[in-house]
Amino acid sequence: MGQPDANAAAPRRTGRALACLRWGLATVLVAMLVLDLACPPPLPGADGTATVVTAADGTPLPAFADRDGVWRHPATVESVSPLYLDALLPYEDRWFRLHPGINPVALLRAGWQWLRSGRIVSGGSTLSMQVARIIDGHDTRSGLGKLRQMARALQLEARLSKDQILQLYLERAPFGGTIEGVEAASWAYLGKPASARSPAEAALLAVLPQAPSRLRPDRHPEAARAARDKVLARMQALGRWTPQQVEDAKIEPVVARSLRVPQHAALLAQRLRQQHPRARRLVTTVDANLQRALEERVGAYFASLPPRTSAALLVVDNASLATLAYIGSAAFGDDQRLGHVDMVRAWRSPGSTLKPFLYGMALDQGLIHSESLLVDAPQDFGGYRPGNFGEAFNGPVGAAAALRLSLNVPAVDLLDRVGPARFAARLEHAGLPLRFPRGTRPGLPLVLGGTSARLEDLVGAYVALQRGGVAGQVRYLEDDPLVQRRLLSPGAAWIVREVLQASPRPGLASGAFGSRTPPVAWKTGTSYGFRDAWAIGGTRRYTVGVWVGRPDGTPLPGQYGAVTALPLLLDTIDGLPHQPGDADPLPRPASVDAVEACWPLGLAAADTPAPLCQRRLRAWSLDGVVPPTFPERQARLWSPGRERFQVDARTGMRLSASCRLEHPVREAEIARWPALVSPWLTTVQRRASTLPPLAPDCADDGREAAATLHVDGIADRATLVPAPGGEGRLTLQVRALGTDAPVQWLLDGRWIARTEGGRPFLYDYAGAGAGRHVLSALADNGAWAQVRFRVAATGGRGGTAPDADGPGAGQGAGH
């Protein structure tokens, strides 16, 4: 009877033991869960790494340290080289993918070796335990610290996947100094991304965290090499790498590269980091090699310029609007040059850089063709009297030449007809906003720089000249959307581009670079007081913008667009990579026609009688429109260009309605030039535009009513001689008689004074230099007069004398 009771007790004991075991395990698990909840591991947040801004190929631009001053770049298992993972896992933790955070076999082996030899022979830490030590930050040399590390490793394994734990190691393993993570170390020590590693480099990076201070390759290259070769030997012993791979890797030297924080495109990187504060990696469109080369070029270029001078340079791909190079200051970090100020996005006066868009809009509105006759002479626009750079005037000028020469009066005349508000609104719609002082509206000075714009917006607008009139917002990041708006019609953009690229390079003959060099359509600009110098231009593939000045807005005398900014622009474009097709001309749009235009009427030669076509010019017209020359605003004496009248068929004299009936009548006509260009016309041109005299028996018809001017104070064809003892001065008082209108005075075509009616003014004519000169008086009503004189090279008795050499046409007297 006892045996069955014994047999029955055994299962009960086993069941109780299993139950106790289950309860014990459950208790342990609950205790671990409570401890885990009470003391969770200090996992780093998503912002635990610094923001990394890279070029398009992954090269870091500036690296930004985290809040603790540590350089740490984001990294993933997929972003690092497989060779590095091949070296890291077998050397540090072969069973990483299998153990639960602690490897008991490795711990027992390490403990036995320590007991037997009295020193640490091999470590028993897993990668999970190393990550636990890194993020926990406690000392693990004591027994309690080691237990804490093991507990943290178990917590990590319970909360994270193996790849997440490995990512923490890749981003936070110590590599010496303030460098953490394999990506930051790879760039800092080797100048390469962690995805591009040789076996020797992979082995070096795998062993560095074991003793980061002692093995730093920039300080201890021989120690780093010995540790690297130990890893290589382990890889060969494990059969992971072939003997030949290991042998080749051992030959490779350890590069003792000093730690250098990248600082390329620093202002762009700072800008993007501010705009995307939560981003860990920002991939820009910048070409790293081009960026480095242009930074060196800009630094060398501006080394000889005056102190506190800075610069900005932007290179954009026309097709994608991607930024290839971004230089926001001439010397980043230079306090004297205010190198921390990003001038790519600074609001500055654009000078004359808006003029191409004005001419393009005038073409689109049918106001002009490429050779429309414009007036470059002193004019009054409701109290606004613009002058040209250097104060010289050119008289009659074609639209294309007016744009290439950046003449101010024709541009203001065009803007007055297009409308300043309309012009500014059109630019803003296309992505080029303008800033005006508070409480003001767009006015005529805006086209001469009386507003503010940004370099990046100007470049985005100039791209339209190479893209069929479509402007766009410059892109800085790979994932930035393509934002574009139409600014000009394809035909207008093509004509403006043709005009600008016909401008010869300063100091070089046309075609000096060879027929296959891409032509550059460029425009310069200088703001009032020499505060801003601009040069913007492009080819079929690229558009480049350059600004030069002082960020604090102080003047830079003598430095203007064509002298300071243009050489850097052309040098930059010449250094860009070009393809054979880049030198080919852009196809001419169907809306553009080649026509012959006639001056002074401005109409097509086919529609102009031969006697009225005093000058023929080859022009580009848009949509078949060949508009006539503008009527003048202020010249009351000028009749609209084409004037018909009757003449005596025998004598050619003009007839009026009151002439006697026996005159044989013939119809005649003349083409008048704008009155304000009269001082620049030749004798033949003036005669062809003048009405013939009235027949003696005809009453005055009023068609010759014209005010006449007389210059008083200098005799025509006089010689001016400085008075003895006058220190070479030739100061004379001159006035215009015969008008009450305002009078503009030009000396050799250069503006020197403005008077009201017959009021006199004083001027020192010795400054004109020895030789022949022309003084012109031009009234706002179109009346004008000239005197020719000569300044003697040596003086005798002061005053004026007849010009013994006879009359001569001075500068600005005509064509």
Side-chain angles (χ1 to χ4, degrees), residues 72-80 84-85 88 131 163 165-173 175 180-184:
R72 184 188 301 119
H73 295 184
T76 63
V77 175
E78 293 79 16
S79 68
V80 300
Y84 172 71
L85 295 178
L88 174 67
V131 171
D163 281 351
I165 295 173
L166 183 55
Q167 180 175 346
L168 286 174
Y169 181 86
L170 297 178
E171 291 182 342
R172 295 177 175 273
F175 280 86
E180 289 188 3
V182 65
E183 189 71 37

Side-chain angles (χ1 to χ4, degrees), residues 235-249:
M235 296 301 293
Q236 181 177 346
L238 294 175
R240 303 294 297 235
W241 293 347
T242 66
Q244 186 60 48
Q245 283 181 296
V246 171
E247 188 65 27
D248 293 342

Side-chain angles (χ1 to χ4, degrees), residues 44-412:
D47 58 348
T49 59
T51 300
V52 178
V53 183
T54 74
D57 63 356
T59 302
L61 298 174
F64 297 99
D66 66 8
R67 63 177 63 92
D68 298 322
V70 175
W71 301 95
R72 184 188 301 119
H73 295 184
T76 63
V77 175
E78 293 79 16
S79 68
V80 300
S81 169
L83 286 173
Y84 172 71
L85 295 178
D86 281 348
L88 174 67
L89 293 178
Y91 188 76
E92 287 287 354
D93 190 353
R94 275 198 295 167
W95 310 108
F96 172 70
R97 296 288 182 183
L98 301 177
H99 62 66
I102 300 172
N103 188 340
V105 176
L107 287 174
L108 290 173
R109 183 184 68 247
W112 171 249
Q113 291 173 341
W114 174 63
L115 290 173
R116 189 174 64 179
S117 63
R119 62 183 180 87
I120 297 176
V121 177
S122 63
S125 296
T126 63
L127 271 180
S128 300
M129 293 172 63
Q130 294 183 48
V131 171
R133 183 187 73 246
I134 292 170
I135 66 174
D136 202 34
H138 284 79
D139 185 8
T140 59
R141 289 175 292 182
S142 65
L144 184 61
K146 200 68 175 179
L147 290 175
R148 181 188 178 102
Q149 180 186 10
M150 294 166 62
R152 288 298 193 199
L154 293 173
Q155 286 182 298
L156 290 176
E157 292 283 348
R159 290 170 175 263
L160 305 176
S161 68
K162 289 290 186 180
D163 281 351
Q164 289 174 319
I165 295 173
L166 183 55
Q167 180 175 346
L168 286 174
Y169 181 86
L170 297 178
E171 291 182 342
R172 295 177 175 273
F175 280 86
T178 57
I179 303 297
E180 289 188 3
V182 65
E183 189 71 37
S186 184
W187 283 109
Y189 292 122
L190 304 174
K192 301 177 182 179
S195 60
R197 296 273 66 87
S198 68
E201 292 167 338
L204 176 63
L205 292 176
V207 76
L208 274 180
Q210 286 195 347
S213 297
R214 183 170 54 84
L215 299 179
R216 280 181 57 167
D218 59 323
R219 295 181 178 177
H220 310 289
E222 292 304 321
R225 180 179 188 131
R228 179 203 69 181
D229 291 349
K230 181 180 178 181
V231 177
L232 292 172
R234 173 74 64 85
M235 296 301 293
Q236 181 177 346
L238 294 175
R240 303 294 297 235
W241 293 347
T242 66
Q244 186 60 48
Q245 283 181 296
V246 171
E247 188 65 27
D248 293 342
K250 288 183 177 181
I251 297 175
E252 189 174 320
V254 171
V255 179
R257 173 189 167 111
S258 298
L259 292 182
R260 290 180 295 175
V261 178
Q263 291 293 346
H264 301 296
L267 290 172
L268 173 62
Q270 288 184 354
R271 171 182 182 175
L272 295 176
R273 186 190 183 203
Q274 293 170 355
Q275 294 174 350
H276 306 274
R278 297 185 179 276
R280 302 177 68 199
R281 179 182 292 273
L282 295 168
V283 181
T284 71
T285 60
V286 169
D287 183 307
N289 293 329
L290 179 63
Q291 178 73 29
R292 285 192 292 266
L294 288 180
E295 286 180 356
E296 293 177 1
R297 182 173 298 173
V298 169
Y301 184 81
F302 286 94
S304 60
L305 285 183
R308 298 185 289 121
T309 305
S310 189
L313 186 148
L314 198 62
V315 180
V316 173
D317 177 84
N318 293 331
S320 64
L321 296 176
T323 298
L324 303 180
Y326 184 114
I327 298 176
S329 67
F332 177 71
D334 187 330
D335 292 338
Q336 186 183 29
R337 295 182 185 271
L338 297 181
H340 63 283
V341 179
D342 186 354
M343 301 308 299
V344 169
R345 54 174 174 164
W347 292 93
R348 306 292 293 203
S349 167
S352 296
T353 57
L354 301 179
K355 289 178 181 175
F357 309 123
L358 174 62
Y359 281 80
M361 291 183 197
L363 285 164
D364 276 332
Q365 293 182 29
L367 297 176
I368 60 171
H369 52 73
S370 70
E371 294 298 339
S372 287
L373 172 59
L374 302 179
V375 177
D376 183 35
Q379 296 190 56
D380 184 291
F381 299 90
Y384 178 52
R385 298 176 176 272
N388 286 326
F389 188 82
E391 301 296 342
F393 293 94
N394 298 268
V397 63
L403 175 56
R404 282 195 294 265
L405 296 174
S406 197
L407 302 179
N408 290 342
V409 175
V412 172

Side-chain angles (χ1 to χ4, degrees), residues 600-622:
L601 297 181
L603 299 171
D607 301 325
T608 305
L612 305 185
C613 187
Q614 297 186 27
R615 184 177 176 187
R616 289 175 177 261
L617 303 97
R618 180 180 173 82
W620 299 113
S621 69
L622 186 62

